[in-house]
Amino acid sequence: MTKIAIVGTKDLMKDTIEILHSLKIIHIVDFKEQDETFQIGKPLGEVSRFSELLLSLRSLISTFDIRPQNLKKTYSKRDISRELETEVIQTENQLKVLNLKISKLTSIINEIDRLKSVGDLEEIGLEKNLFKSLNMVVSSKTDLENKRNNLKKELDQIIKEKSSFLLQYEDLLSSEIEKMEAPLRFTTTKNTFMVEGWIPESKYSSLHTTLDKKYGDRIHLEKVKYSDEESVPVELKHPSSVKPFELLLDLFEYPKSTEIDPTFAIFITFPLFYGIMLGDIGYGLTILLFSSILKMKFKTEGWNMLLGILQYSSIYTIAFGFLDGEFFGFDIFRLFGIEEIFGISLPIIDRIVDFMPVLIMSISIGIVHVLLGLTFGFINVLKQHGVKEAILEKGSWIILVISIVFFALSLSFTNVLMYFGGALLMISVILLVLGEGFIGLIEIFGIMSNILSYVRLMAIGLSSVGIAIVINSIVVDIVLPKGGVFILLGYLILIGGHVGNIILGILASFLHALRLHYVEFFTKFYEGGGIKFKPFGI
């Protein structure tokens, strides 16, 4: 990113805003500290009138549930002229009038429905004419319903024809208001204006060429020096497959420009942890199906990212379901009499029986994940403070974790590994004391706790499969053998039980995978608090 300043005379401010808005490359830094000479600029045009119109339009769009995803054809943004304001107001009035008529008719029809029998009113001594009028009102219900249906059809037709138009106009108004209010972010004097902001380094030349070609020396653009303490906006660029996992950074803190962006690492590890914990073919397929259906219905960016994460996680869940041989808690390979494929005994991992291998796998994943976090931390400190600080702050912990690995391996292999572990432990302790003082030694227990926290990969998985097995056992061994109505009851228990277990599994796996990243992984390297790059005009 490059920090820039654009200075020009006030008569060029409006045109400059138009250019910057169309280029969509500058993240404007708001001017705040005004004095007698330098003032915050004043908005252009009739902002208040446009704001009122936009508010009214958004209310209309919200009332009639007009959203881009409800349109059959794609609408283009800001492809409409401001002169069509009159037509928008006419459409708004048409919709409001029709909606009011429908509402009144609905109210009258509801009142008629309450008069279950006009004959009952005769007994209370109503005059003959009044009774006749009431009878006519009740008999006109069908006509009123037909009239209401016709009005609804007319309303739906207008919404169908004008939806795209109204959304385009909303975009246009938003865009115009953003441009009109832009001077509120500028520094101005009596005759000049200045705007500061950040642009990608690669865009500087094209911006310089555009302004120079348009205004010559009447507009001045230059790069501005900035201090290390100044926050530089961060622009994350990931492939579409990785992009949903940016949501997990948005929920936590945006990375600083000096930090490693962990999105790609999360893209690999988050669904992996999720799949290990839930690990069931049936559950994975169910989550994949529902997240795909919901993704078609909810098309906002936030929902798309969240459901995208669920889709990826469900694929891992299916994959680990094959390894575990679980399908809604049933041993699917035993169910079909499959004992081995290509000489490999199935299931490859039986979570209930193979307790120790799953425990070792969970702790091993914890060691690798914590080491990855410490390595990211080492790189961050190396870039910011140099080799010495990186070794003392993060290298010492990396050596400590590796020494633990050697100690663990020595239990199964040669004792020589224990000596390597001991030597590395001594080195790490010395570095810890040099880097953090004796308080660093106390933190050793903290990192042990971090690694052991990954045991939840096994524990959550066992609880999920345990509940599924209990549900299946109750239905298959107790309820279904009774026959008759108990067969229907058995299927209801089976469906209800597994639906509940899936919901529990989705929440538990998501939250615990999130915890392993935020608490055990991020604390090794990530501070966050960065600013998201928001180009003017987007």
Side-chain angles (χ1 to χ4, degrees):
M1 286 287 166
T2 301
K3 191 173 185 182
I4 60 161
I6 301 171
V7 183
T9 53
K10 271 189 172 176
D11 60 314
L12 299 177
M13 186 164 67
K14 188 176 178 183
D15 289 342
T16 306
I17 289 171
E18 286 286 350
I19 289 174
L20 295 179
H21 194 269
S22 64
L23 291 175
K24 302 176 182 24
I25 57 171
I26 181 170
H27 175 104
I28 295 175
V29 177
D30 294 350
F31 174 67
K32 293 174 184 172
E33 298 175 359
Q34 56 181 344
D35 54 29
E36 290 181 0
T37 309
F38 299 104
Q39 299 284 321
I40 294 173
K42 294 178 181 175
L44 306 169
E46 302 171 82
V47 180
S48 57
R49 191 174 70 82
F50 275 77
S51 298
E52 285 174 15
L53 189 58
L54 180 63
L55 197 64
S56 172
L57 189 58
R58 282 181 174 165
S59 169
L60 188 76
I61 288 170
S62 170
T63 302
F64 296 103
D65 196 23
I66 299 169
R67 289 177 288 184
Q69 58 266 34
N70 292 342
L71 302 181
K72 287 187 178 175
K73 61 178 181 179
T74 308
Y75 83 98
S76 55
K77 291 190 171 186
R78 297 164 198 168
D79 187 24
I80 201 165
S81 70
R82 194 186 294 179
E83 286 70 30
L84 292 172
E85 181 182 326
T86 309
E87 193 173 336
V88 171
I89 292 172
Q90 285 175 350
T91 305
E92 183 181 1
N93 288 334
Q94 269 183 298
L95 292 176
K96 283 182 177 175
V97 169
L98 284 171
N99 196 44
L100 186 63
K101 285 181 180 177
I102 291 169
S103 177
K104 282 182 177 176
L105 283 171
T106 303
S107 177
I108 293 168
I109 291 168
N110 289 339
E111 289 299 324
I112 291 172
D113 284 338
R114 289 195 184 96
L115 291 171
K116 293 179 181 176
S117 171
V118 178
D120 296 341
L121 299 173
E122 195 175 9
E123 297 173 1
I124 62 176
L126 288 178
E127 289 183 12
K128 195 173 180 181
N129 288 342
L130 183 56
F131 176 75
K132 194 175 178 182
S133 300
L134 279 172
N135 204 20
M136 285 176 65
V137 170
V138 172
S139 61
S140 67
K141 183 188 169 188
T142 306
D143 292 338
L144 293 174
E145 284 176 336
N146 289 336
K147 192 172 182 180
R148 183 180 63 175
N149 291 338
N150 290 334
L151 288 173
K152 278 184 178 177
K153 283 179 186 173
E154 191 179 345
L155 185 72
D156 290 342
Q157 186 61 32
I158 293 174
I159 291 172
K160 189 177 175 183
E161 289 175 1
K162 304 290 184 179
S163 288
S164 171
F165 170 73
L166 293 172
L167 288 170
Q168 284 175 317
Y169 202 74
E170 187 208 8
D171 279 333
L172 177 79
L173 286 177
S174 302
S175 170
E176 290 298 305
I177 290 171
E178 188 182 22
K179 285 188 276 186
M180 287 176 184
E181 290 180 340
L184 295 170
R185 310 173 73 182
F186 292 6
T187 312
T188 59
T189 63
K190 187 177 179 183
N191 298 311
T192 63
F193 77 92
M194 182 179 79
V195 54
E196 282 191 333
W198 300 88
I199 62 170
E201 178 74 39
S202 59
K203 304 287 184 185
Y204 180 79
S205 297
S206 63
L207 177 62
H208 195 282
T209 305
T210 304
L211 293 176
D212 192 48
K213 195 180 289 182
K214 180 88 176 172
Y215 304 113
D217 57 2
R218 292 188 298 158
I219 288 280
H220 179 66
L221 168 68
E222 67 172 20
K223 292 184 180 180
V224 178
K225 288 184 180 177
Y226 56 94
S227 66
D228 293 338
E229 286 73 34
E230 201 166 345
S231 296
V232 181
V234 176
E235 184 180 23
L236 298 181
K237 288 182 177 177
H238 298 114
S240 58
S241 55
V242 180
K243 202 161 183 59
F245 293 86
E246 289 178 11
L247 177 69
L248 301 183
L249 293 186
D250 277 339
L251 292 174
F252 190 77
E253 290 272 2
Y254 221 65
K256 291 179 181 173
S257 58
T258 51
E259 290 180 319
I260 286 180
D261 167 21
T263 312
F264 191 77
I266 299 172
F267 164 69
I268 295 170
T269 54
F270 187 91
L272 176 71
F273 294 172
Y274 192 100
I276 290 173
M277 284 187 274
L278 199 51
D280 185 290
I281 301 168
Y283 288 4
L285 286 171
T286 307
I287 297 168
L288 181 61
L289 176 68
F290 278 97
S291 55
S292 300
I293 292 171
L294 290 174
K295 206 172 180 181
M296 286 190 282
K297 186 171 178 58
F298 300 105
K299 295 188 177 179
T300 59
E301 188 183 17
W303 275 109
N304 258 302
M305 294 172 98
L306 180 63
L307 294 168
I309 292 172
L310 270 181
Q311 281 180 319
Y312 280 107
S313 302
S314 65
I315 292 167
Y316 279 76
T317 304
I318 295 167
F320 277 95
F322 274 107
L323 290 179
D324 301 333
E326 292 170 18
F327 185 84
F328 289 103
F330 290 104
D331 185 340
I332 190 166
F333 297 122
R334 189 176 295 168
L335 212 62
F336 289 101
I338 304 170
E339 294 182 354
E340 62 174 42
I341 293 178
F342 304 123
I344 301 171
S345 298
L346 298 174
I348 294 172
I349 300 171
D350 187 332
R351 288 195 281 183
I352 302 295
V353 178
D354 301 327
F355 180 79
M356 278 308 291
V358 177
L359 178 65
I360 291 168
M361 182 191 74
S362 301
I363 294 176
S364 302
I365 288 172
I367 290 171
V368 172
H369 204 220
V370 168
L371 273 177
L372 181 66
L374 288 169
T375 306
F376 284 175
F378 185 89
I379 297 169
N380 283 341
V381 179
L382 181 67
K383 286 196 293 187
Q384 293 168 31
H385 305 292
V387 180
K388 184 183 173 185
E389 289 296 319
I391 291 174
L392 291 178
E393 281 188 32
K394 301 295 176 184
S396 55
W397 290 107
I398 292 173
I399 296 170
L400 176 71
V401 174
I402 293 172
S403 73
I404 293 171
V405 174
F406 273 105
F407 279 123
L409 291 175
S410 69
L411 297 174
S412 303
F413 299 100
T414 171
N415 285 338
V416 177
L417 294 173
M418 187 184 292
Y419 299 126
F420 277 113
L424 289 173
L425 181 63
M426 287 299 294
I427 293 170
S428 68
V429 167
I430 292 168
L431 291 174
L432 275 173
V433 172
L434 288 174
E436 302 180 25
F438 286 99
I439 194 77
L441 299 179
I442 300 172
E443 295 297 322
I444 290 175
F445 298 103
I447 206 159
M448 296 290 287
S449 167
N450 291 150
I451 293 169
L452 289 175
S453 188
Y454 288 80
V455 172
R456 71 187 64 229
L457 292 175
M458 177 194 72
I460 302 298
L462 282 177
S463 67
S464 176
V465 70
I467 293 171
I469 289 173
V470 168
I471 294 166
N472 295 340
S473 299
I474 290 172
V475 173
V476 175
D477 299 336
I478 301 173
V479 182
L480 291 183
K482 292 182 179 180
V485 73
F486 286 97
I487 293 177
L488 177 63
L489 179 66
Y491 282 113
L492 288 176
I493 294 173
L494 209 58
I495 293 168
H498 281 297
V499 167
N501 199 28
I502 288 173
I503 294 170
L504 199 65
I506 291 172
L507 292 174
S509 302
F510 195 92
L511 291 176
H512 284 284
L514 209 58
R515 182 207 145 86
L516 289 175
H517 283 83
Y518 286 170
V519 179
E520 323 302 348
F521 183 54
F522 277 16
T523 49
K524 304 297 173 290
F525 69 99
Y526 197 75
E527 290 183 8
I531 300 170
K532 192 172 185 176
F533 181 67
K534 289 182 181 173
F536 177 58
I538 291 181

